[in-house]
């Protein structure tokens, strides 16, 4: 048996619970959760009305993707005013009410902050355009002269994450083509210049605005992006002259050390407030960088995307558990686990791509992953995740086993990655949720309207079809979360270790954590518990598929514990 020590726990000082260390956080994507006003776009009142569903799962917190004023060119990640609510989603009063109701249900509230870029409709960007080259207004963003004889070439060779150039040239007041501005994402998302102290001050005010309204934390968008390398050097290029990113690395504009100064600043702001406010970073960084982001004076957590990227393979999964635990442990931070979010192919579909596992750029109509297999494995992976120490992030609809939707007409797709790069994009994981099988729009909105079409398969998966049904994905999540809480499975240091059975047969992962043993059978064939190196007297607490006659079916997982572990 191989153990890894996870016992480095920063002692909670008097009165502090450090609630975020083992919290299960449910991500709400406001456009697609629930629509109260019937326009087909989810809204804050819709969310508030459905918070009991979220609370009934047994999670600790919600994270709300952006609901701020925005032209919605990137689903709200193009913010025109961080301190107001987009009329599509409601009003500031609706946000206050949502926070109040969530708190009354015992749910903490995390909101998104999007500091790498703003919308091009942000008043300050509009002023920068009007003010012209060399002005203090332009210095809030990253404007540069172009290369080439007449400045006709972009200032460097950086590519946008959403495909195409990361630079757009503006037309100056005299009508001539002028400077270029940087946008690591869409043209409508200009990057802020974090070398300018005014940008720091502006964001400090945004944090305070929401902290004053009672939020418990922030999910920091593109947390590895704000600090650009000195002189904006070109990316390395391959033999074809195209920019390349070496395997395991990130583009030159990500993961620069300057971001850490920002988080130290923000941590001080959070710590001024009572109630243990926290930050979790969305940072697609090489694993080795994790400890820097979660140092005691920076972020509380970063998403551990290695787990999400791991294939359905015992060695890959084991590595994706061991490494982040070891790295976060170096600085006394908890790790996080996540399988789905609004940017990746839903895990119920992802695991249906044997043998390869693909998570980015969406699902095309031509691809036909095995839906049944995908869901079986997704349920098993979820059980594995929810038994691990640290904090877990769930994405709305995964508790219903929702698949990625491939069948969205191109003209209805909104993802800028689709529009710029022709890839299917991320709309397939953002389709509005089914609440009731027999209602128009499956209960998403009172009128049946839905900003993206819902597939027929959503009927059987609707929340009302699964509630109270033994073995449904919804009830499996509820039971797993109940047991996780009762057995304190999220706690770091509660058991001191996660360990693996090295003598497990091929294709079977056996993980021991605290009072539970998790058996994940990645093979298509059943395995008999009696043949495995586990406690044969142990009780089956929960299975991702029915566990009959001591057999773990193929592509399934089970939690085992000694009798009485729950008491
Ligand atoms: C990450 C967000 O999760 C994604 O949805 C968005 O498109 C980019 N950051 C840009 O803000």
């Amino acid at each position: 048996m191989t153990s890894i020590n996870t016992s480095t726990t920063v002692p909670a000082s008097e009165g502090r619970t450090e609630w975020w260390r083992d919290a299960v956080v449910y991500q709400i994507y406001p456009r697609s959760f629930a629509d109260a006003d019937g326009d087909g776009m989810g809204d804050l009142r819709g969310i508030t009305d459905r918070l009991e569903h979220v609370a009934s799962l047994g999670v600790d917190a919600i994270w709300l993707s952006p609901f701020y004023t925005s032209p919605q060119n990137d689903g709200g990640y193009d913010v025109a005013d961080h301190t107001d609510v987009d009329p599509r989603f409601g009003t500031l009063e609706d946000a206050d009410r949502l926070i109040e109701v969530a708190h009354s249900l015992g749910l903490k509230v995390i909101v998104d902050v999007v500091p790498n870029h703003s919308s091009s409709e942000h008043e300050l960007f509009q002023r920068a355009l009007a003010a012209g080259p060399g002005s203090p207004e332009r210095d809030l963003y990253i404007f540069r002269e172009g290369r080439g004889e007449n400045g006709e070439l972009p200032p460097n060779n950086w590519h946008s994450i959403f495909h195409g150039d990361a630079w757009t040239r503006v037309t100056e007041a005299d009508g001539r083509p002028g400077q270029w501005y940087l946008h690591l994402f869409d043209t409508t998302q200009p990057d802020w210049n974090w070398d300018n102290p005014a940008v720091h001050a502006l964001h400090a005010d945004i944090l305070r605005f929401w902290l004053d309204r009672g939020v418990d934390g922030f999910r920091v968008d593109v947390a590895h992006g704000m600090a650009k390398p000195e002189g904006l050097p070109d990316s390395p290029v391959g033999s074809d002259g195209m920019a390349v990113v070496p395997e395991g690395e990130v583009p030159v504009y990500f993961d620069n050390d300057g971001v850490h100064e920002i988080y130290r600043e923000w941590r001080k702001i959070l710590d001024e407030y009572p109630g243990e406010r926290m930050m979790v970073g969305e940072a697609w960084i090489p694993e080795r960088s994790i400890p820097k982001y979660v140092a005691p004076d920076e972020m509380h957590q970063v998403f551990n995307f290695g787990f999400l990227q791991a294939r359905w393979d015992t060695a890959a999964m084991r590595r994706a558990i061991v490494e982040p635990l070891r790295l976060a442990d170096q600085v006394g931070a908890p790790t996080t686990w996540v399988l789905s979010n609004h940017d990746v192919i839903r895990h119920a579909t992802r695991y249906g791509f044997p043998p390869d596992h693909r998570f980015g750029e969406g699902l095309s109509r031509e691809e036909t992953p095995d839906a049944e297999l995908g869901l079986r494995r997704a349920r098993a992976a979820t059980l594995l995740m929810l038994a691990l120490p640290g904090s877990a992030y769930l994405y709305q609809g995964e508790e219903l086993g929702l698949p990625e939707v491939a069948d969205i007409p191109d003209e209805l797709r909104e993802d800028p990655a689709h529009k710029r790069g022709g890839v299917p994009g991320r709309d397939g994981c953002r389709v509005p949720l089914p609440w009731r099988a027999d209602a128009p729009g499956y209960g998403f909105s009172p009128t049946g309207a839905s900003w993206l079409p819902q597939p027929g398969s959503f009927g059987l998966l609707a929340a009302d079809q699964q509630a109270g049904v033994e073995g449904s994905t919804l009830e499996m999540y509820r039971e797993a979360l109940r047991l996780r809480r009762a057995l304190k499975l999220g706690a770091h240091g509660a058991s001191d270790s996660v360990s693996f059975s090295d003598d497990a047969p091929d294709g079977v992962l056996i993980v021991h954590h605290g009072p539970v043993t998790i058996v994940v059978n990645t093979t298509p064939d059943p395995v008999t518990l009696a043949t495995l190196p586990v406690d044969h007297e142990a009780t089956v607490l929960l299975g991702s598929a029915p566990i009959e006659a001591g057999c773990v079916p193929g592509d399934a997982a089970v939690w085992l514990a000694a009798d009485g572990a729950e008491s």
Side-chain angles (χ1 to χ4, degrees), residues 143-156 167-170 172 177-181:
F143 281 87
R144 292 288 183 278
E145 300 301 327
R147 296 199 279 204
E149 225 167 284
N150 299 306
E152 71 281 11
L153 299 173
N156 69 21
W167 296 91
T168 291
R169 195 170 193 188
V170 303
E172 303 295 1
Q179 288 193 307
W180 298 71
Y181 66 87

Side-chain angles (χ1 to χ4, degrees), residues 450-462:
S450 168
W451 70 278
L452 282 175
Q454 299 159 298
S457 65
F458 271 27
L460 280 178
L461 296 169

Side-chain angles (χ1 to χ4, degrees), residues 320-343:
I321 294 171
V322 172
E323 271 309 287
L325 280 173
R326 188 181 69 76
L327 289 162
D329 211 35
Q330 286 175 3
V331 286
T335 193
T336 60
W337 310 102
V338 56
L339 285 167
S340 279
N341 64 30
H342 66 293
D343 289 331

Side-chain angles (χ1 to χ4, degrees), residues 167-492:
W167 296 91
T168 291
R169 195 170 193 188
V170 303
T171 304
E172 303 295 1
D174 60 7
R176 295 206 204 146
Q179 288 193 307
W180 298 71
Y181 66 87
L182 178 70
H183 51 88
L184 296 184
F185 294 89
D186 190 44
T187 316
T188 61
Q189 293 168 293
D191 281 45
W192 291 107
N193 171 21
W194 277 88
D195 288 334
N196 186 332
V199 171
H200 290 245
L202 184 84
H203 285 83
D205 286 349
I206 291 168
L207 297 186
R208 289 210 162 86
F209 180 87
W210 288 104
L211 290 166
D212 288 339
R213 296 194 104 85
V215 304
D216 302 282
F218 298 98
R219 176 267 191 191
V220 182
D221 189 61
V222 200
H224 53 322
M226 289 107 94
K228 308 299 186 291
E230 181 77 39
L232 311 183
D234 273 341
S235 298
V237 288
S239 51
D240 57 358
M242 298 295 285
V244 287
V245 180
E247 180 73 24
E249 298 298 322
V250 290
V252 288
Y253 45 70
F254 282 152
D255 198 24
N256 288 292
D257 277 346
V259 294
H260 299 293
E261 186 197 321
I262 302 168
Y263 300 131
R264 286 192 284 270
E265 234 174 79
W266 287 14
R267 180 63 179 255
K268 286 193 194 122
I269 296 176
L270 262 58
D271 287 348
E272 283 168 19
Y273 282 79
E276 304 186 61
R277 318 289 174 106
M278 57 79 81
M279 291 182 270
V280 53
E282 186 236 10
W284 293 83
I285 45 177
E287 263 175 356
R288 61 170 187 276
S289 293
I290 289 177
K292 289 197 272 179
Y293 286 75
V294 292
D297 57 349
E298 294 199 22
M299 302 229 185
H300 300 73
Q301 304 177 331
V302 279
F303 292 126
N304 154 27
F305 291 122
F307 187 66
L308 177 156
Q309 292 172 70
R311 279 172 298 112
W312 186 245
D313 164 278
T314 54
M317 291 195 278
R318 178 168 170 167
R319 200 192 162 282
I321 294 171
V322 172
E323 271 309 287
L325 280 173
R326 188 181 69 76
L327 289 162
D329 211 35
Q330 286 175 3
V331 286
T335 193
T336 60
W337 310 102
V338 56
L339 285 167
S340 279
N341 64 30
H342 66 293
D343 289 331
V344 297
I345 297 178
R346 281 187 177 275
H347 67 289
T349 296
R350 215 163 65 218
Y351 288 119
F353 278 118
D356 287 323
H357 180 90
R358 200 166 66 67
F359 61 93
E361 305 281 35
L363 182 70
S364 72
R365 246 162 279 151
E366 293 70 48
E367 292 174 295
T368 50
D370 182 333
E372 202 225 334
L373 179 71
L375 181 56
R376 284 177 72 75
R377 290 179 172 177
R379 288 170 54 123
T382 297
L383 281 200
L384 172 62
M385 167 171 91
L386 291 178
L388 296 173
S391 172
Y393 283 77
L394 309 178
Y395 176 50
Q396 65 180 35
E398 70 171 78
E399 77 279 18
L400 306 177
L402 293 190
E404 184 82 4
V405 179
D407 193 17
I408 301 174
D410 280 354
E411 63 279 12
L412 296 182
R413 289 184 186 266
E414 294 203 5
D415 184 355
H418 168 72
K419 294 183 182 165
R420 290 171 64 93
V423 296
R426 299 163 295 174
D427 294 298
C429 62
R430 300 173 176 179
V431 175
L433 294 194
W435 293 96
R436 284 182 40 202
D438 66 356
Y442 300 118
F444 166 67
S445 83
T447 56
S450 168
W451 70 278
L452 282 175
Q454 299 159 298
S457 65
F458 271 27
L460 280 178
L461 296 169
D464 73 334
Q465 299 299 293
Q466 300 196 42
V469 176
E470 202 188 325
S472 68
T473 304
L474 177 57
E475 293 305 333
M476 185 196 84
Y477 269 75
R478 285 186 173 146
E479 182 60 0
L481 290 166
R482 186 188 73 74
L483 287 166
R484 177 185 156 95
R485 188 182 291 260
L487 298 170
K488 300 190 174 42
L489 296 181
H492 265 252

Side-chain angles (χ1 to χ4, degrees), residues 62-120:
I62 54 171
W63 147 33
L64 297 162
S65 279
F67 50 83
Y68 317 116
T69 314
S70 159
Q72 300 288 311
N73 286 317
D74 183 19
Y77 283 92
D78 47 325
V79 182
D81 183 354
H82 249 114
T83 56
D84 206 351
V85 173
D86 193 280
R88 296 173 186 86
F89 297 128
T91 61
L92 272 175
E93 288 67 43
D94 293 333
D96 289 341
R97 171 101 185 110
L98 193 166
I99 296 168
E100 185 190 321
V101 173
H103 284 163
S104 73
L105 291 167
L107 297 168
K108 305 268 189 199
V109 179
I110 296 171
V111 295
D112 234 292
V113 59
V114 189
N116 180 68
H117 44 266
S118 73
S119 159
S120 52

